[in-house]
Each structure stands twice: as structure tokens, then as C-alpha cells.
Amino acid sequence: MVGKGYSLPRVVERDDYAAIRDRIIGLSHLHGLRCDWAETTKRQRFLLLWDAEGRVAARAIVPLYPRETPQLVDSLEQGLAHLFGDDWLEG
């Protein structure tokens, strides 16, 4: 269990938006970060992760249909590795 009722999915399918979103939320809470989501297009969400001091710790694009854009999933994984560690999505 990861604070406030969040738990990390045991297996994250790289083509499942909900599993990716849940992994990000769980890891964010574990690391003391706050998530802000915004719809940027009908196919992706913009994510800001804020630290405890109110600074933006990371920005990322999260695809709603990861199967269609696996390169965006790879970019997302690499882009958040400095916060969550390498292969955080594989967890």
C-alpha cells in the first residue's frame, strides 16, 4: 500500500493507460510528489509532478492509447527515470 489508498500495480502492461497512470500516481505518492493532469489532446495527457516545496519536479506526456505510440511510452519511462529509477514502469 502506498499512502492514501494507492497501491502499485504488480504488473504494468506497457499498452494499458490505466496501469501506467496508476503506477505514476503510486510512485508519486511514495516519493512525496503531487500529480497534476491536464488533457492536451484527445489522445494524450500532460502531467506535472510537483515536489513538497511547490517546484515542478518533472513534466511528461502520457499517451491515452499507448499501444498506438510505444515510442511515447519509452520516452515517458526515460523522462521519469530520474525520479522513480530506471525501469520504473516494469517494476
Side-chain angles (χ1 to χ4, degrees), residues 12-26:
V12 173
E13 297 294 331
R14 295 180 68 83
D15 60 356
D16 181 356
Y17 167 76
I20 293 169
R21 178 202 61 217
D22 291 348
R23 172 76 75 182
I24 291 170
I25 291 170

Side-chain angles (χ1 to χ4, degrees), residues 15 18 20-21 24 29 34-36 41 43 47 56 59-60 69 75 80-81 84 86 90:
D15 60 356
I20 293 169
R21 178 202 61 217
I24 291 170
H29 285 278
R34 180 175 56 91
C35 299
D36 278 339
T41 71
R43 306 198 78 67
L47 168 68
V56 174
R59 296 173 176 85
T69 53
S75 177
L80 298 181
F84 301 145
D86 293 334
E90 306 303 321

Side-chain angles (χ1 to χ4, degrees), residues 4 9 21 33 37 57 65 73 75-76 79 90:
K4 293 190 181 181
R21 178 202 61 217
L33 301 170
W37 299 86
Y65 305 99
V73 177
S75 177
L76 173 66
E90 306 303 321

